[in-house]
Each structure stands twice: as structure tokens, then as C-alpha cells.
Amino acid sequence: MGIRTGRIAVAALAATCVFSVVSCSDNSSSEAGSTTSIAPGVLATGDPIKVGLFNPSKGPATQAGVTTGKNAAIEYINNQIGGINGRPIEVIDCGIDNTSPESTISCANQFVQAGVVAAVDGYNAESAAAMPILTSAEIPLVGQIPFNTATGAVPENRVFFGPPPAAFLVGFLQSLKQAGKDSLTLVNADLPQAHQVFDSLLTPLGQQLGIDVKSAYYPPAGPNFTALASTIADGSPAAGGLMTAPNDNTCNKLAQALKSVKYSGTVFLAACTEFVDVLGAQAVGAQSYSPVWLPPAIDSAPEPAKSNLRTAEQFIDNAGGTAGFYAYGTFATFVDLARALTSAPPAEFTGPAILTALKGLADYQSFLGPKLNCGKATSPNCTTDMLLFEVTGDKKTAPVSGGFITPNPEVLKLIPGAA
């Protein structure tokens, strides 16, 4: 594909999505009641291992899927696989406003007071505000994708099991170029992190690849989806849609609006899944991204991801609440944390020992994603591989390349923390 190596002025890449709820350590599997019977597993015993969760459940961009994934993961870890090296996990779940660094700081202080040994990043766009507090207290931050530019730019005191946000953008643009598509219009919530993505990275990267990239913003509290769809359709770009999404409902409404204005290009809907069922046959050809395998693509997933995905689906269904991308991503994050620390348990469960153990993961098969190699000197991410799904004709999805896409490493090197 001949990508020219040059200067891309980037402050980096981040996303804007969010999550929910308040307090924690709930080993119950359900908000709405169990739907399927789960065979007895290995129960965790002994003193709990306390872990914090930055859970964006307040403000204009909440994401309830994180709570679902967390609840399902606690049930699976504590009552099915014997906890973390035999000990139960206890989650101190702190609700934050994804647009307020002050609420993130408050949660970080709460975690220090509670004596957690690690904190899970629930896709928090303001996570950088917590890093000085967590680092001083020797509490590592663990997550799937760093949705904050500064958090993802350096590897100190943090580990992310998924790829950097830049990988999704580079991989998506690579796929467009390979398909012969040379124009793209994407919209995003009008938040500071979104402007950094679009203004500092998306346009110059498009120029490098010969893709005409345009962007537009909408108020996160009350988008006009018909107007957004008209903006995307203007000029008939080859592809258009959302770079990030606060929830599946946003994706559903924008997808329906794009169909109503007769947009005929490739519809791109960030990290959403629900639109596959909502739109039915009209969803065919639409694309979305993910760091992990998701239920609509289970037929394409290899083992062990396929059997693990069935397990995740069962526990998430039983947990009740909102499912979708963020539920599965959160479930995978907690489970990979528990499995990694069980397979190679530290001598003691302290923040520094946990960080060392996670940084030492090499050629480690993650629960729903690719193999992980953590501890890079320049990046907190354990992989750059990402999945780009396309909707097929049977309300299912399949990866456009047959599996994971590895974004061009020379391009990723130009983005702090991405490689």
C-alpha cells in the first residue's frame, strides 16, 4: 500500500465513550434475573483482592455496558474459575463524568483510601487526571483501550490489553484504501479529545494515504441525527459515519438517518453492535471495529475465542442490563486480568508486583482477543491488532480481512505511545 513516512503532527488519539454505576463488590450475577442455567464452577475463597473501576456513568456520554460487563465478570471470576489465584476479586466501582477530570481525581483518591491494588480504566476520556495520584500510590492502571491521549502516550504504571486508539483509525483507513475508496466523512461528539483525533491526526493521515477526509461535530447531549446524516451524505463520500460512539442508541439512530437520506456509501459505526439487529437487511455492508471478538461474528472466530465468546455471552446475558461492545470489552479486561495473575501469580498482590506480572506477559493468548506481548518500552498497549467487522446478509458480521488487521507499524511509530 506504499505509505510514505513523514511527519504527522499529532498530539495523539483518543476516543469518547463511557460507562456506569456506583458502588461495588457485587457478586450477584443479575440485575434482571438469570436467563440460563450455569454449571457450578470453582468458588473463590479467602481475602478479596480489591480492584478499582473508573466507570463513566454520569454526564452527557454514559455507557451502561461497562456495568453489565463488570457484573458478569465478577460472577465468572469468583464463582466459575476460582477468583484470582483462588481469591475473590472485589471491585470498588466509582462513577465518573467522562467530561470532568475532577470526578476522575475524586475516584482516584477513593481508590487510594480503599487500598486497591490496581484500577481498571472503563474507557475514561479523562483518565490522565488520575495518573499522578495512582502512580504516587503505586496503583497500576489496567484497561482495554486508552481513550485519553496523554494516558496512551507513555507506558509508565499502566497496561492496556487492547490496541491503541490510533490502531483502529489506521487500520480502518488502510482497509478503505485497499478497497479503492478515497473519501471519508466522520462525525464525533464535540468534546476536546475528539478534536485532538480529528484535527491533529485524521486529516494529515488521510493526506498520507490519499483519502479525502472530512469531519463534523455534534452536541453530545442532543444530536440532530437527520442533520448529521445530511452532513455525512453531502458530496457522497465513499464512507461515512461515527469514529466513536457514546452508546448503541447513537449508532442506531444515525444509521437509520443515513438510510433515510439515501446515503449509499459504506456506513461506519465505530464500536457498535446493536444496529446489526435493529436495521436488519439494511445493515448489510456497514462496518464497525473492536479489539475483541463479538457475538455477531462468532461463526468467524477461531478457537479458543469462539468457545470463550459463548461463555462470555452466557454470563453477560445472565447479568442483565446493557450488552454490546463495552460489556464484552469490560468482561474481557477483568477476565484477562484475573487469568494473567493466576497463571503467573506474583509473590504478593501489591500494585508494583501486579504491574511487573502484567508487563511480563509474552505471547499470551487473551480471552477474546489476539496474543499479547506487554511491557513495551514505548507503549502501554499489549497489541496493535484490531478487528474491522462488516455486516453480512444474515444479521451477522465477519472480519473484512478474515481476522485481525495489523496497522502499518511505520505509521503507528509517528503517534506517541502507539507502537
Side-chain angles (χ1 to χ4, degrees):
M1 178 175 56
I3 298 179
R4 177 173 58 86
T5 305
R7 291 190 186 217
I8 297 179
V10 313
L13 185 14
T16 49
C17 299
V18 283
F19 309 60
S20 56
V21 91
V22 236
S23 140
C24 82
S25 168
D26 176 11
N27 289 347
S28 148
S29 67
S30 173
E31 294 176 10
S34 294
T35 57
T36 58
S37 176
I38 296 175
V42 180
L43 298 180
T45 59
D47 294 333
I49 295 173
K50 290 185 180 181
V51 174
L53 172 63
F54 290 102
N55 191 348
S57 58
K58 305 172 183 178
T62 60
Q63 178 44 265
V66 173
T67 298
T68 306
K70 180 264 302 183
N71 288 340
I74 291 173
E75 177 72 15
Y76 176 70
I77 293 167
N78 288 347
N79 298 326
Q80 193 70 26
I81 63 172
I84 299 176
N85 197 37
R87 295 170 58 184
I89 184 173
E90 177 181 337
V91 180
I92 310 299
D93 189 335
C94 190
I96 63 169
D97 179 345
N98 199 47
T99 65
S100 167
E102 291 78 13
S103 65
T104 290
I105 290 171
S106 176
C107 284
N109 285 324
Q110 181 177 325
F111 295 156
V112 173
Q113 294 170 1
V116 307
V117 295
V120 172
D121 180 356
Y123 309 90
N124 179 11
E126 296 293 345
S127 59
M131 291 314 302
I133 298 169
L134 296 180
T135 301
S136 176
E138 297 186 311
I139 299 171
L141 183 68
V142 182
Q144 189 67 222
I145 307 169
F147 270 14
N148 179 275
T149 298
T151 301
V154 294
E156 181 188 11
N157 200 48
R158 68 210 75 180
V159 174
F160 289 89
F161 296 136
F168 297 105
L169 183 55
V170 174
F172 175 52
L173 290 179
Q174 282 179 192
S175 178
L176 287 181
K177 188 68 174 179
Q178 291 167 354
K181 299 177 180 181
D182 59 3
S183 56
L184 168 67
T185 298
L186 292 176
V187 299
N188 210 338
D190 192 3
L191 297 170
Q193 290 290 330
H195 282 271
Q196 289 185 346
V197 174
F198 280 82
D199 301 342
S200 300
L201 181 60
L202 188 60
T203 298
L205 182 57
Q207 291 172 348
Q208 291 258 334
L209 295 175
I211 298 175
D212 180 21
V213 177
K214 296 179 181 178
S215 61
Y217 300 96
Y218 62 87
N224 182 324
F225 291 102
T226 300
L228 276 178
S230 297
T231 297
I232 292 170
D234 184 37
S236 301
L242 288 162
M243 190 60 234
T244 61
N247 49 54
D248 273 286
N249 188 50
T250 299
C251 288
N252 297 340
K253 289 184 176 180
L254 181 61
Q256 291 168 328
L258 284 168
K259 295 301 179 182
S260 72
V261 300
K262 309 292 190 217
Y263 175 65
S264 59
T266 298
V267 175
F268 181 71
L269 294 172
C272 291
T273 56
E274 193 176 283
F275 74 93
V276 177
D277 289 325
V278 171
L279 267 67
Q282 288 187 314
V284 173
Q287 296 182 352
S288 61
Y289 69 70
S290 176
V292 297
W293 290 95
L294 297 171
I298 192 169
D299 291 344
S300 301
E303 292 293 355
K306 181 175 290 187
S307 58
N308 288 344
L309 187 54
R310 290 194 182 100
T311 297
E313 190 170 18
Q314 185 179 31
F315 278 84
I316 286 172
D317 285 349
N318 278 6
T322 301
F325 166 85
Y326 295 102
Y328 284 88
T330 302
F331 185 90
T333 300
F334 276 106
V335 171
D336 278 324
L337 174 64
R339 290 168 74 241
L341 294 178
T342 298
S343 65
E348 54 181 349
F349 284 88
T350 64
I354 287 173
L355 181 65
T356 298
L358 296 180
K359 291 279 190 182
L361 293 176
D363 202 31
Y364 179 83
Q365 179 58 61
S366 64
F367 190 71
L368 294 179
K371 288 187 176 181
L372 307 180
N373 290 284
C374 307
K376 299 183 181 77
T378 56
S379 174
N381 293 86
C382 299
T383 184
T384 61
D385 289 352
M386 52 84 71
L387 288 160
L388 181 65
F389 295 122
E390 183 167 297
V391 182
T392 60
D394 53 0
K395 292 189 179 182
K396 294 183 180 294
T397 64
V400 296
S401 62
F404 284 92
I405 293 174
T406 301
N408 187 299
E410 295 304 313
V411 175
L412 291 182
K413 285 180 181 178
L414 302 173
I415 303 165

